[in-house]
Amino acid sequence: MRARLLGIGFLAPALVAVSLFFLLPVLLTAVFSFTNMSTSTGISGGEYLIIETDLRDLPAQGVSAETVTQLGEAGYAITEVGLARMAAAFGEDRAQELREDYLGDTFEARRDLERLLRDLDDNPIRNTRERKAAADLFAVTIVGERYDTETAFRDALSDTGINPADHDALVTAAYTGWIWTSDNFSLLFELPSTLRYALNTAFYVVCTLAFNITFGLFLAISTFYLPLKLANVFRSIWFLPRILPPVMYVLMWNWFTWDNGFIATVTGWFGVPQQNWMMQTPTHAWTVIILINGFVGASLGMILFSSAIKAIPLPMLYASEVDGANRWQQVRYIILPQMRWPILFLTSYQTLSLLTSFEYILLATDGGPGSTTEVWALAAYHTALSNYGGNLQYGLGAAFALILVVIGIVLSALYLRFFNFRELVAKPRIEQ
C-alpha cells in the first residue's frame, strides 16, 4: 500500500502538469469553439445596447417595422433624470423652473420642447444650438443607452411603450456579449478558403515530413560510418538549426533569399535580375518553407536516429561483414529493420508538430504570397489573435484549433496501428 501511494506521489507532479498544460487548454479550446467570442463581444459577458446603425438590421431579426420606427423617432419627457442632466449642463435655476412648472409633461417632437425652452419665463435659452442640446437631454429612448442586465433592458422597453411582441427579438439583437453556438463549424465548411488551408496544410506536412525523416536518416547513417570525432563535428553543424532562435534562423534565410540577399547578389553577377527568391512565386515560397522547417526537423531526427543506430549490437555488423555484406546491405537488412520504433516516434511527433506549428511560416512569409502558404494553424492564429480587420474572432479561431486536435488524435491512432505498436513494446520472444 505504501509503495502504491509513493508511486502516486511521484506521478502527481506529472499528472498536474499534463492537466494544466494539455488537458485544460484542449478543454478550453473545445468550449471556446462553441461560442461566438470575439473582440466585440469580449470574453466575460456583455451588456444590452442598440445604436442608430443597428436600426436598419432589426427587421431582418424579426422586429416589426412599427417598433423600428418608434425606436428611431424618440419622444421627449420632463423627468428627474433629464432634469439632473439639465442642471449639470445649463444650471440649477433652469432645471428648477422646468421641475416646478413642467415635470411629467411629454412632447412628441423636439421642436415642441425647444419652443418651451425658448419661452421660459426666468431663464430662456435663446441660442439655437444650446436649445437643441438641452432638448436632447430629455429624449425618451433606449437607442444609445447601455443596460447591464436583461431585466433592466426589458424594463426600459416597457417604459418606452415598445410592443411586447418585439421584446425577445430586441433582447437578442441588443446583447453585445458572446453566446453558445455551433455556427463556427458550419462557417468553416462554407468558407472557400477552408479547403485551401486544408490542402496547404496537407502539402506542407507531407513534404516537410518526408524531408525530415529521409534527410535525418541519411545524416545519422552517414555519420555513423565516419570516424567518431569527425562525425561529432558534422552532427554539431547540422544541429545548429534546432538550437538557433526561430527569429534569428529565419532572418538568416531572409538574408539568403531576399532581393538584396546572397542568392540575388550572386546571380546578379551573371546578369539575372534581382528578385526575392522566397516570395517571388508560390513555388519559391513553398520550397523555402519546406527547407526551413526540414532542416530543423532533420537535425532532431539525426540525433535520435544516431542514438538508435548506436544501440544496435556491433557483433551483428561485424558478422555481416564476415559474410561479405557491403554498407548498403548493412543498412538495408540490419539497421533499417531495427529503426521502426524511432521512425514511428519521430513520424508521429513531427506530424503533430507540423500540424500545429506555424512560427517559421509566420516569420518567413506570413502566409504569402497571396495566402498561398497559409496553413491551417496559421489561419487559426490570424483569425483569433492577429488580423487586419481588427475584430479578433476567438470562437472561430478555437474551432480551427479543435479540428487540428481531432486530426492529431486520429493520425496518432493510425500511426500506432500502421507500425504495430503492440509488437514494438512486447517482450522479446526469447523472454516469453
Side-chain angles (χ1 to χ4, degrees):
M1 183 66 179
R2 291 182 178 178
R4 182 177 299 176
L5 292 176
L6 184 61
I8 294 176
F10 280 118
L11 285 175
L15 294 175
V16 171
V18 169
S19 300
L20 290 178
F21 300 113
F22 177 74
L23 295 180
L24 183 60
V26 172
L27 178 61
L28 290 177
T29 298
V31 171
F32 289 166
S33 67
F34 286 96
T35 70
N36 68 336
M37 285 186 187
S38 66
T39 303
S40 60
T41 66
I43 62 175
S44 60
E47 56 191 5
Y48 295 84
L49 171 66
I50 293 179
I51 59 178
E52 290 287 346
T53 56
D54 294 333
L55 296 179
R56 62 175 179 270
D57 299 324
L58 291 179
Q61 302 181 51
V63 180
S64 65
E66 292 78 10
T67 294
V68 174
T69 302
Q70 186 177 354
L71 290 172
E73 298 176 355
Y76 297 83
I78 307 299
T79 63
E80 287 294 347
V81 174
L83 289 170
R85 297 171 181 170
M86 183 74 174
F90 295 94
E92 180 62 36
D93 293 339
R94 285 171 173 161
Q96 184 61 31
E97 183 178 354
L98 287 173
R99 181 180 290 106
E100 292 175 353
D101 298 334
Y102 303 102
L103 181 63
D105 289 2
T106 59
F107 307 85
E108 293 185 358
R110 186 172 62 179
R111 63 177 178 273
D112 298 329
L113 180 55
E114 288 181 23
R115 187 179 299 114
L116 171 65
L117 295 173
R118 184 189 60 193
D119 297 335
L120 288 174
D121 295 333
D122 298 329
N123 299 287
I125 302 177
R126 302 298 187 186
N127 185 284
T128 302
R129 178 177 298 179
E130 291 183 354
R131 198 163 56 245
K132 291 181 181 294
D136 288 338
L137 299 176
F138 297 95
V140 181
T141 180
I142 64 170
V143 176
E145 298 290 336
R146 298 177 182 272
Y147 301 90
D148 294 332
T149 65
E150 180 180 341
T151 301
F153 183 67
R154 287 185 179 274
D155 290 343
L157 292 177
S158 300
D159 293 342
T160 52
I162 299 297
N163 187 350
D166 291 324
H167 284 195
D168 290 340
L170 286 171
V171 167
T172 301
Y175 186 57
T176 62
W178 58 269
I179 60 174
W180 297 104
T181 178
S182 60
D183 291 345
N184 293 325
F185 298 96
S186 302
L187 182 60
L188 284 182
F189 289 103
E190 294 174 1
L191 290 174
S193 56
T194 302
L195 179 60
R196 182 174 70 250
Y197 298 152
L199 293 177
N200 286 348
T201 304
F203 178 79
Y204 165 67
V205 171
V206 170
C207 293
T208 308
L209 185 63
F211 184 91
N212 289 350
I213 302 300
T214 304
F215 194 56
L217 270 174
F218 171 78
L219 292 175
I221 294 172
S222 59
T223 55
F224 174 72
Y225 286 106
L226 291 176
L228 181 59
K229 291 185 178 180
L230 185 60
N232 288 336
V233 171
F234 276 105
R235 288 170 187 158
S236 300
I237 294 174
W238 282 109
F239 200 64
L240 286 176
R242 169 63 59 174
I243 62 176
L244 282 176
V247 173
M248 181 180 296
Y249 179 56
V250 175
L251 281 176
M252 293 174 61
W253 277 94
N254 289 344
W255 170 82
F256 190 69
T257 59
W258 278 7
D259 51 6
N260 58 351
F262 178 79
I263 296 179
T265 301
V266 173
T267 55
W269 297 341
F270 302 95
V272 178
Q274 285 190 331
Q275 57 181 294
N276 188 327
W277 290 89
M278 179 187 293
M279 301 289 287
Q280 183 74 13
T281 65
T283 302
H284 288 179
W286 275 121
T287 301
V288 174
I289 285 174
I290 292 171
L291 290 176
I292 289 175
N293 289 272
F295 286 130
V296 173
S299 61
L300 176 63
M302 174 193 65
I303 298 300
L304 294 178
F305 293 149
S306 295
S307 300
I309 293 174
K310 286 185 178 181
I312 298 174
L314 289 178
M316 296 180 63
L317 298 174
Y318 295 153
S320 67
E321 291 180 356
V322 172
D323 291 337
N326 56 32
R327 292 287 187 260
W328 167 246
Q329 290 171 328
Q330 286 182 342
V331 172
R332 171 67 178 83
Y333 296 104
I334 298 177
I335 295 178
L336 289 181
Q338 299 187 64
M339 299 288 288
R340 288 178 60 192
W341 172 245
I343 293 175
L344 165 63
F345 169 76
L346 195 63
T347 301
S348 303
Y349 172 80
Q350 293 280 22
T351 300
L352 299 180
S353 177
L354 291 170
L355 276 174
T356 58
S357 65
F358 59 87
E359 64 273 16
Y360 290 108
I361 301 178
L362 174 66
L363 294 170
T365 67
D366 197 20
S371 297
T372 54
T373 59
E374 182 100 349
V375 295
W376 196 277
L378 183 58
Y381 168 76
H382 282 154
T383 301
L385 299 175
S386 176
N387 62 52
Y388 297 110
N391 185 25
L392 304 179
Q393 298 173 287
Y394 309 129
L396 183 58
F400 271 103
L402 184 61
I403 290 178
L404 279 184
V405 172
V406 174
I407 293 174
I409 294 174
V410 171
L411 286 179
S412 297
L414 291 176
Y415 280 139
L416 294 176
R417 178 69 176 174
F418 178 77
F419 284 94
N420 200 355
F421 177 73
R422 290 185 178 181
E423 181 180 339
L424 288 172
V425 299
K427 290 184 178 180
R429 293 182 181 180
I430 194 173
E431 298 180 9
Q432 296 178 358

